[in-house]
Amino acid sequence: MIKVENVAKSFVLHNQGSAVIPVMDGAALTVAPGECVALIGASGAGKSTLMRMIYGNYTAQGGRIMVGDVDVASAAPRQILELRRNTLGYVSQFLRVVPRVPTLEVVAEPLRAVGMDSAAAEARARDLLSRLNIPERLWSLSPTTFSGGEQQRVNIARGFAFEYPAMLLDEPTASLDATNRAVVLDLIRTAKARGAAIVGIFHDEAARAEVCDREVDVSVFTPKAVA
Amino acid sequence: MTQDNPLLQVESLSKFYGHRIGCADVSFDLYPGEVMGIVGESGSGKSTLLNCLSGHLPPDQGRVMFDTRADGMRDTVTMSEPERRMLGRTDWAFVHQHARDGLRMNVSAGGNVGERLMAVGARHYGDIRGAAIDWLGRVEISEDRIDDRPRQFSGGMQQRLQIARNLVTGPRLVFMDEPTGGLDVSVQARLLDLLRGLVREMGLSAIVVTHDLAVVRLLAHRLMVMKDGYVVETGLTDQVLDDPQHGYTQLLVSSVLQV
């Protein structure tokens, strides 16, 4: 479902003396439906970078990134937009929302985007928010003023609302207490059971051990000159 | 959202002022439901480009192919003036930065909206008024203002009225020139929410010119960055803003103040 082949990435900072920062070379990864693969490596090794490249948020300077039939590294913007709507979900480390939109709406949005009717979308959103222990009185408020942990749970609710065949999870259990951590791991297990291919970054080793089938160390892809 | 046929196909569009470049060699495709942002600083050519695309300025070179439903892809640059005007009343809309440039200030709010319907053949007064009330409601202008003149409205309200006037005929492509420029921050925010919602509900395609990167991140799926008349970078909005490749884009992105 997800296949990263010989991917290279470097940043060129044109306004800072044209500094070239090679980050990755020969990156490779395969994830089958129903698998959860963990990206590991020291902070700064390129875990989030690789995840963003799979999502099409960062460019690749070489190689192929196949998600289903689409090569994200070379696809047209509209193909990636469609992929993100129907196929590839991404739960980033930080909640990024349009200000002033109520929490319920934030979570229901991905479902509306695929054409689900309002009532059904909201019902699913409510269900997820309840499972993630976000009090009902907060559902009509914008999540921008919530605590870090609450924001993370809203982020997760939004990420799991639609049943994507492929998912990218960046630190999904960070900032969570034991109860909510368990809920999230359960959501991941359910996604795997329905055949989702998942790539995850977990600093929490116990969480990683519970849901991940394999680990891929991204420091292996750090270019030799830099390592 | 994705269809095989682009709604708009722009090929090598250029406009010169003597030896000065207005915009040069701009090409892109726009698909139904896509919002394209055009950003750049003053003098980048973004407004010139928008005016050439929308038929307000004749370009010196290039084609702007639009998927007219009746006749397939037609080059709007070489269309006759009456044909282009008809397009401007039906399938296309233009939201000006200053609402007064896109409204009839001496006509009531309801009249501003209803006029557009009449221009495309609506005749029944009751239906027209009903549609006007409905649209004013969608842009959050209360029904009791329907007979007031736009002069009596605040800036934000005038802009919302301009949007209603433009969208009432159900256009497929909307051009916007700094739609939130000059408005107070809270008013801007409300307007952006409205635009986002309408774009999504109506499946509109839009081309939005702005110097404000935050507006573009919120509103646009794709982005073109312009400098000195040229498009220096283009791609998915989040990708261009998060992983800018061109030196100028990097400069723009790093210059934005954090709140």
Side-chain angles (χ1 to χ4, degrees):
Chain A
M1 186 66 212
I2 300 176
K3 199 169 163 133
V4 173
E5 289 169 17
N6 199 26
V7 162
K9 173 87 190 136
S10 52
F11 292 102
V12 180
L13 307 180
H14 294 281
N15 304 301
Q16 294 182 63
S18 295
V20 179
I21 320 274
V23 174
M24 208 171 281
D25 198 26
L29 179 68
T30 329
V31 189
E35 263 200 303
C36 178
V37 174
L39 296 180
I40 61 169
S43 175
K47 306 182 292 294
S48 291
T49 297
L50 181 56
M51 198 169 266
R52 284 174 180 252
M53 288 168 77
I54 299 172
Y55 197 60
N57 176 233
Y58 276 6
T59 57
Q61 273 64 52
R64 299 204 313 168
I65 301 174
M66 303 302 297
V67 178
D69 300 325
V70 179
D71 176 11
V72 173
S74 60
R78 66 192 177 85
Q79 287 176 287
I80 300 181
L81 290 167
E82 197 189 356
L83 194 74
R84 289 175 178 179
R85 206 174 28 258
N86 300 323
T87 309
L88 183 59
Y90 176 42
V91 178
S92 64
Q93 248 179 308
F94 311 104
L95 178 66
R96 226 181 179 165
V97 279
V98 175
R100 298 173 309 282
V101 177
T103 296
L104 192 68
E105 188 48 46
V106 168
V107 178
E109 218 253 315
L111 294 166
R112 288 191 216 281
V114 292
M116 194 182 280
D117 76 81
S118 275
E122 280 184 20
R124 170 108 177 116
R126 277 189 208 103
D127 174 56
L128 278 164
L129 287 168
S130 304
R131 289 183 68 180
L132 286 157
N133 298 302
I134 301 283
E136 199 171 330
R137 65 173 186 277
L138 296 182
W139 295 357
S140 57
L141 302 178
S142 161
T144 47
T145 54
F146 293 178
S147 73
E150 282 170 336
Q151 288 196 1
Q152 185 55 357
R153 283 176 276 140
V154 171
N155 206 9
I156 288 163
R158 175 174 60 177
F160 280 84
F162 177 65
E163 295 184 348
Y164 297 101
M167 297 184 75
L168 306 170
L169 309 175
D170 195 343
E171 298 287 5
T173 57
S175 321
L176 298 185
D177 59 25
T179 313
N180 287 305
R181 188 176 151 283
V183 173
V184 172
L185 294 180
D186 211 49
L187 285 171
I188 296 173
R189 274 186 219 102
T190 307
K192 284 176 67 180
R194 64 169 172 78
I198 304 178
V199 181
I201 299 172
F202 299 86
H203 273 126
D204 179 348
E205 291 187 27
R208 197 196 304 159
E210 271 187 69
V211 292
C212 295
D213 305 299
R214 278 190 289 129
E215 289 177 354
V216 170
D217 187 347
V218 303
S219 20
V220 168
F221 311 132
T222 305
K224 297 296 167 268
V226 182
Chain B
M1 183 216 242
T2 307
Q3 252 175 248
D4 280 56
N5 302 317
L7 185 67
L8 194 73
Q9 256 181 320
V10 179
E11 291 168 19
S12 300
L13 199 63
S14 306
K15 174 82 185 165
F16 304 103
Y17 296 104
H19 55 267
R20 276 199 296 120
I21 298 172
C23 63
D25 205 27
V26 180
S27 303
F28 66 94
D29 288 347
L30 188 71
Y31 288 80
E34 276 188 341
V35 178
M36 170 75 91
I38 306 176
V39 293
E41 296 177 301
S42 283
S44 58
K46 58 191 194 294
S47 290
T48 302
L49 176 59
L50 194 73
N51 286 323
C52 287
L53 289 169
S54 59
H56 290 181
L57 256 185
D60 293 310
Q61 281 171 30
R63 310 199 297 173
V64 178
M65 311 289 292
F66 179 70
D67 185 14
T68 63
R69 276 171 283 209
D71 301 321
M73 294 299 269
R74 293 274 316 274
D75 184 4
T76 59
V77 174
T78 54
M79 261 183 190
S80 70
E81 191 55 33
E83 278 181 301
R84 213 190 344 262
R85 291 237 207 91
M86 192 58 192
L87 203 56
R89 278 199 289 268
T90 53
D91 273 347
W92 282 12
F94 196 111
V95 176
H96 296 259
Q97 179 175 359
H98 303 292
R100 61 186 134 74
D101 294 332
L103 289 174
R104 302 239 282 144
M105 300 303 277
N106 281 319
V107 172
S108 72
N112 264 286
V113 177
E115 205 174 68
R116 280 293 171 83
L117 289 171
M118 289 196 285
V120 291
R123 287 289 171 265
H124 188 270
Y125 179 77
D127 290 346
I128 294 171
R129 196 168 169 86
I133 291 172
D134 173 56
W135 262 98
L136 288 176
R138 290 172 80 166
V139 300
E140 296 175 27
I141 294 176
S142 89
E143 197 178 321
D144 61 6
R145 310 291 318 251
I146 190 175
D147 296 314
D148 291 345
R149 304 273 176 283
R151 298 182 182 293
Q152 297 163 280
F153 291 179
S154 67
M157 228 165 153
Q158 286 181 356
Q159 196 57 312
R160 281 181 279 128
L161 178 61
Q162 200 203 167
I163 287 166
R165 175 179 160 89
N166 269 296
L167 298 186
V168 72
T169 52
R172 291 186 291 144
L173 177 58
V174 185
F175 299 95
M176 299 194 221
D177 188 2
E178 305 276 6
T180 57
L183 297 174
D184 290 332
V185 173
S186 62
V187 175
Q188 274 192 42
R190 200 173 163 199
L191 198 74
L192 285 172
D193 285 348
L194 179 67
L195 285 172
R196 270 175 64 91
L198 289 172
V199 164
R200 197 182 49 225
E201 273 172 55
M202 296 175 70
L204 295 176
S205 297
I207 299 177
V208 181
V209 158
T210 179
H211 65 275
D212 190 334
L213 295 184
V215 166
V216 104
R217 196 188 272 276
L218 221 72
L219 219 43
H221 302 102
R222 294 165 59 195
L223 187 54
M224 290 196 298
V225 180
M226 289 190 75
K227 182 179 196 295
D228 298 330
Y230 288 92
V231 175
V232 297
E233 188 160 358
T234 183
L236 285 169
T237 302
D238 67 285
Q239 183 249 293
V240 174
L241 295 178
D242 289 346
D243 189 15
Q245 299 298 296
H246 192 275
Y248 179 66
T249 316
Q250 290 180 353
L251 181 65
L252 265 189
V253 169
S254 63
S255 306
V256 174
L257 300 172
Q258 304 272 37
V259 171

